[in-house]
Amino acid sequence: MKIILIGAPGAGKGTLAHKMIERFKDVRQISLGDIFRREVKKDSDLGRKLKKYMDAGVLVPDETAALVIEEHIPCNNFILDGYPRTVAQAGALDEIMEKKGIGLDKALYLDVSESTVEKRLSGRRVCRNCHKNYHIKNMPPKREGICDICGGELIQREDDKPEVIRRRWEVFQKENSLLVDYYRARKKLSVINADKEADEVMKEIVSVIKDGTA
Ligand code: AP5
């Protein structure tokens, strides 16, 4: 299973990727956003460069993203969340996978409306320690402000501030239809209605995968 999840900020890529690795055994999740945030937390040279782009809600340069993906992509089963976001990145991913002798099974496009995105991102909270995602209304923790898993403090991501959410949505809109067309033309695309509750979205994903189309 070699699958990519594409979709707007807040479409549920991270949430669904987690559910998928619980549901399907021996599959790894690779989230480019999470890898970047770990670099930022380490305060490495790379992390300091990444932070400027991420805090502004714009894409990190394609070459940087491709280098990180090449380093992290495994040859066995994976769910890649957050890459590619542009047609140039899709071409780079094809090249990286070809070099590794592997092929993509499916691009799952999580299709959401702007109003859903606004509600999800403004209500998202993330554990400072283990990075588990919550939502103050849709997926609240058992105790307000505290992570169910590790007891860490729940915080709001810098890029979940209203003005940055708007910018991320605009960046997404600019590239997305070309990216979707790229995978549609290669007969790899499945469009999933991601405005629904996470368990409903997951059911649709499972049925697409079980169809043998992924
Ligand atoms: P990244 O971290 O990947 O951010 P993003 O794509 O903007 O996606 P998010 O993490 O915000 O949303 P998500 O779709 O994973 O939704 P989630 O599951 O958390 O990237 C951050 C930055 O890194 C970028 O802005 C860019 O600078 C850089 N970057 C990353 N990849 C790059 C690339 N390829 N090239 C260049 N730069 C790159 O869900 C959101 C909330 O909604 C949560 O609270 C969740 O609990 C809730 N929720 C989710 N699904 C549902 C549902 N179905 N029903 C109800 N609630 C739900």
Side-chain angles (χ1 to χ4, degrees):
M1 185 190 288
K2 294 175 184 62
I3 291 179
I4 56 171
L5 289 181
I6 56 180
K13 301 182 292 297
T15 302
L16 272 308
H18 268 284
K19 286 185 180 288
M20 288 168 77
I21 56 169
E22 280 168 9
R23 174 73 173 67
F24 302 104
K25 300 295 168 216
D26 302 321
V27 184
R28 268 180 62 192
Q29 177 196 5
I30 302 147
S31 160
L32 191 55
D34 286 350
I35 295 169
F36 284 171
R37 276 183 287 280
R38 283 200 290 274
E39 284 301 321
V40 171
K41 199 170 174 189
K42 277 196 267 175
D43 198 26
S44 62
D45 285 348
L46 174 62
R48 280 191 292 276
K49 281 185 205 142
L50 295 171
K51 190 174 186 326
K52 282 192 287 181
Y53 297 101
M54 295 171 79
D55 285 354
V58 298
L59 295 181
V60 167
D62 285 344
E63 313 77 65
T64 310
L67 283 174
V68 174
I69 284 295
E70 182 155 19
E71 189 188 327
H72 284 85
I73 215 156
C75 289
N76 41 12
N77 298 339
F78 64 78
I79 295 157
L80 178 55
D81 132 31
Y83 191 91
R85 294 183 195 233
T86 63
V87 169
Q89 290 186 1
L93 180 63
D94 286 347
E95 279 175 27
I96 291 167
M97 292 184 73
E98 201 180 317
K99 261 200 253 171
K100 290 180 187 263
I102 54 177
L104 183 72
D105 294 308
K106 202 83 187 159
L108 300 181
Y109 169 41
L110 302 179
D111 190 14
V112 276
S113 62
E114 187 174 4
S115 65
T116 299
V117 165
E118 274 169 15
K119 281 183 225 142
R120 286 194 189 156
L121 294 185
S122 57
R124 173 166 56 190
R125 298 293 180 270
V126 184
C127 175
R128 194 190 277 285
N129 290 335
C130 72
H131 310 294
K132 181 172 166 48
N133 260 346
Y134 296 87
H135 189 280
I136 51 175
K137 287 202 182 110
N138 304 339
M139 301 176 195
K142 292 188 184 106
R143 282 186 299 155
E144 196 182 327
I146 309 286
C147 177
D148 294 346
I149 308 292
C150 72
E153 182 196 5
L154 301 187
I155 54 168
Q156 188 169 36
R157 269 171 46 173
E158 276 303 314
D159 59 353
D160 281 346
K161 307 269 161 69
E163 60 287 1
V164 189
I165 293 176
R166 254 192 313 280
R167 181 80 191 115
R168 288 161 71 201
W169 174 260
E170 286 162 11
V171 169
F172 162 76
Q173 285 292 316
K174 198 165 151 245
E175 297 289 345
N176 187 55
S177 62
L178 291 175
L179 185 62
V180 165
D181 288 348
Y182 182 93
Y183 287 110
R184 186 175 284 121
R186 285 158 182 76
K187 305 206 182 319
K188 300 280 185 194
L189 187 77
S190 285
V191 181
I192 309 284
N193 176 357
D195 270 326
K196 295 185 287 188
E197 284 308 309
D199 287 342
E200 291 298 307
V201 181
M202 185 59 193
K203 272 190 207 153
E204 202 175 325
I205 290 178
V206 170
S207 91
V208 164
I209 292 173
K210 283 205 160 165
D211 260 359
T213 46

